[in-house]
Amino acid sequence: MLNLDTIVAPVTPPGEGGVGIVRLSGPQAVTYLKNSFRSKTKHEEFESHRLYYGQLFNADEVRLDEVLAVVMRTPRSYTGEDVVEVHCHGGIQIIRSVLDLFLAAGARMAAPGEFTQRAFLHGRLDLSQAEAVVDVIKARSERSGQVALDQLEGHLSRKIYAYSDQLKSALALLEAHIDFPDDEVGSLDLASLVEPIYAQVDEMVALANSFDVGRVLREGVSILILGRPNVGKSSLMNALLGEARAIVTEVAGTTRDTLEESLVLAGFPVRLIDAAGVRETDDPVEKEGVRRASSKARSADLILLVVDGSTPLNAEDRLAIDQCQIDKTIVVVNKDDQPQCIDFSHLKEFSHKVSVSAKQMKGLDSLCTVIAERLGRDSLSAAGEGLVVTEKRHKDALLRAIVSLNAFFEGVHLSAPYECLAMDLREGLNSLGLITGETTPDEILDQIFSRFCIGK
Ligand code: GDP
């Protein structure tokens, strides 16, 4: 057990609520509770993981609140230390006075993420699990939450440990042959040593690539609705919003020429942006709107290019078409409820076209399916075991490990000395350790935990 002081912080968000929870963690946590908690039923010791009802008093015997208190004794607690949680009324003043009580007793205010950092230091969580805590809290769709929860439960860590174990056993064999001559330990069969690592590197590459999906799940994507005026962009936006029925937030900063909404589409958190109608104009206000639409087209993850299927394409449509990058555009042929007379020759480069009627809410399911495919839903299921890398840090560490292992393969091919081969394996192991935190430098650890909120 590490010798650490006792820390305290509110774990519920600031503001008023039915209940506010203050958490203590450290060797003195239970003593601080005992000294201030009174209850009708006499008990010498708090049983672990049991809720006690009573009153909290400060050192001047002033009653602070009626509370429920729970003690979770080491090591069966979030941090791995003795943890106390006091459930008081969720008022700003009450929480303040409960905090003051424990601070006066000798506790220290916890830094952001310090409870989780202690869980990491005590081996309750490894680094990738600790990082997932923030993602679980911040998840904006069910699917993002699920991926974060899997990471918290150790799905990613288990995979990384399995990779490391494989490399460690190869390294042990190599080192035995470095330290002892072949006639003592028998000759080394390099082929059988390399084979499983080959297969492992293939998996590692797939895992690193899953970051494309992981990023989308974690950060969300921006989808721009683009097209000339009157093709039905606003109608499509409203139809998709109605279909999703899961508007997460009203995005502030909506301007007169673009309108943004957040929603969940096919499990992905999405920012849907309705750009101003694109048309040639001399009007400075409209010109500015069009300029913004073009810049949004460049930065959007996906573009829904809306055309009106009931009229031939015109010069304004072609202006909008010119703004679209082909590989990230889905053509939405709207007004499918009307007789169609569109000529697709100007749209033949685009491989994804979906007919819809925004007005009659038709074809939206197919559109959502195509959007989900483009956002990588397929690679999500192909990643198997639902394993997805959501942190750039993890992807980079995997890529570094892959580089070292490729150097190892090259070394084997060139019959390099065992010492060199062992060095490449050690570097590979080191990079994998960055993901689970075994080899992560302290300043990076501090940086990671400082992203957490107070009380986590
Ligand atoms: P925007 O300027 O591109 O945003 O287009 P709007 O959404 O304002 O729609 C322009 C006009 O087209 C409105 O009169 C809509 O009612 C009409 N409209 C939009 N979608 C459809 C559709 O699917 N079918 C038909 N028939 N009319 C539509």
Side-chain angles (χ1 to χ4, degrees):
M1 167 74 79
L2 299 157
N3 188 17
L4 296 165
D5 53 1
T6 299
I7 52 174
V8 65
V11 293
T12 40
E16 290 179 2
V19 177
I21 301 177
V22 173
R23 180 192 280 159
L24 287 150
S25 178
Q28 297 301 316
V30 183
T31 308
Y32 294 158
L33 177 69
K34 272 188 192 164
N35 292 344
S36 52
F37 183 84
R38 315 251 192 292
S39 132
K40 279 194 188 131
T41 43
K42 197 90 190 98
H43 45 263
E44 292 303 309
E45 281 300 328
F46 286 92
E47 230 178 273
S48 189
H49 294 81
R50 205 185 129 183
L51 215 50
Y52 290 87
Y53 167 76
Q55 318 277 334
L56 215 56
F57 288 82
N58 70 11
D60 301 327
E61 289 299 314
V62 175
R63 192 169 66 121
L64 301 180
D65 196 13
E66 177 187 41
V67 301
L68 288 170
V70 60
V71 167
M72 287 162 274
R73 290 188 193 274
T74 175
R76 288 179 53 229
S77 72
Y78 181 66
T79 59
E81 303 173 330
D82 278 348
V83 166
V84 167
E85 285 180 0
V86 175
H87 302 220
C88 47
H89 289 99
I92 295 166
Q93 177 48 37
I94 289 174
I95 295 198
R96 185 71 251 169
S97 61
V98 173
L99 270 179
D100 285 345
L101 161 74
F102 293 125
L103 290 170
R108 173 174 63 74
M109 191 70 191
E114 198 170 358
F115 291 111
T116 310
Q117 189 161 18
R118 287 195 174 189
F120 169 68
L121 291 174
H122 292 299
R124 296 286 292 169
L125 298 171
D126 67 33
L127 190 57
S128 79
Q129 290 176 298
E131 286 171 299
V133 172
V134 179
D135 292 347
V136 169
I137 294 171
K138 296 200 169 165
R140 289 190 286 146
S141 80
E142 209 173 301
R143 200 186 294 253
S144 329
Q146 203 54 54
V147 168
L149 209 53
D150 284 349
Q151 191 177 319
L152 178 60
E153 280 169 4
H155 288 209
L156 176 66
S157 315
R158 277 197 289 281
K159 197 81 209 165
I160 301 299
Y161 289 131
Y163 294 156
S164 299
D165 286 348
Q166 176 88 267
L167 299 188
K168 278 179 192 159
S169 46
L171 187 61
L173 264 176
L174 266 178
E175 282 173 340
H177 284 265
I178 293 169
D179 294 340
F180 303 100
D182 278 3
D183 53 344
E184 275 185 38
V185 286
S187 65
L188 180 60
D189 178 5
L190 270 178
S192 63
L193 192 81
V194 166
E195 199 123 318
I197 304 181
Y198 261 133
Q200 176 176 319
V201 167
D202 285 347
E203 257 189 63
M204 284 163 67
V205 170
L207 192 57
N209 287 339
S210 73
F211 177 68
D212 291 344
V213 181
R215 185 189 69 82
V216 166
L217 281 174
R218 188 153 168 267
E219 295 169 15
V221 279
S222 55
I223 302 184
L224 181 73
I225 305 183
L226 194 75
R228 70 161 166 82
N230 277 321
V231 286
K233 295 184 298 302
S234 317
S235 308
L236 179 68
M237 176 131 170
N238 289 334
L240 285 173
L241 286 172
E243 183 83 345
R245 270 180 270 113
I247 304 168
V248 182
T249 49
E250 288 275 334
V251 176
T254 294
T255 64
R256 83 172 126 170
D257 48 43
T258 58
L259 183 75
E260 291 193 16
E261 296 280 4
S262 286
L263 70 156
V264 175
L265 265 187
F268 291 94
V270 164
R271 245 171 355 109
L272 201 58
I273 309 157
D274 176 3
V278 178
R279 70 165 126 202
E280 295 241 49
T281 170
D282 289 328
D283 176 343
V285 176
E286 272 198 57
K287 253 200 163 126
E288 176 56 16
V290 172
R291 196 194 58 74
R292 285 196 203 172
S294 324
S295 107
K296 282 194 187 284
R298 278 192 298 278
S299 61
D301 292 300
L302 205 62
I303 299 174
L304 302 183
L305 169 67
V306 186
V307 294
D308 179 345
S310 67
T311 57
L313 291 176
N314 63 21
E316 286 178 353
D317 285 307
R318 284 194 286 278
L319 194 67
I321 292 169
D322 288 345
Q323 315 232 349
C324 297
Q325 272 167 260
I326 290 168
D327 58 345
K328 64 176 187 188
T329 300
I330 299 170
V331 178
V332 181
V333 185
N334 191 29
K335 310 199 185 179
D336 192 33
D337 52 294
Q338 300 286 310
Q340 300 292 286
C341 66
I342 192 167
D343 168 13
F344 282 104
S345 61
H346 287 286
L347 295 166
K348 58 179 183 301
E349 296 96 340
F350 297 96
S351 46
H352 292 91
K353 299 186 193 69
V354 185
S355 289
V356 305
S357 166
K359 200 172 188 174
Q360 298 189 351
M361 307 273 287
K362 276 211 282 223
L364 299 175
D365 282 351
S366 317
L367 177 59
C368 287
T369 307
V370 175
I371 293 174
E373 276 167 16
R374 296 300 305 264
L375 294 181
R377 188 180 60 183
D378 288 353
S379 33
L380 186 62
S381 41
E385 308 165 38
L387 208 53
V388 177
V389 171
T390 53
E391 295 270 350
K392 171 97 171 33
R393 208 181 66 75
H394 298 170
K395 179 190 174 178
D396 290 345
L398 276 167
L399 293 179
R400 276 174 68 166
I402 291 166
V403 167
S404 303
L405 295 179
N406 281 333
F408 166 75
F409 297 141
E410 180 76 7
V412 170
H413 181 68
L414 298 173
S415 308
Y418 289 171
E419 282 84 354
C420 294
L421 300 181
M423 204 170 76
D424 290 330
L425 286 182
R426 259 184 240 114
E427 275 175 13
L429 267 170
N430 220 36
S431 300
L432 291 177
L434 292 173
I435 299 175
T436 48
E438 288 157 297
T439 55
T440 313
D442 284 349
E443 62 271 22
I444 304 282
L445 289 177
D446 288 344
Q447 217 178 7
I448 290 170
F449 288 107
S450 67
R451 291 201 318 244
F452 283 53
C453 44
I454 287 275
K456 203 57 233 177

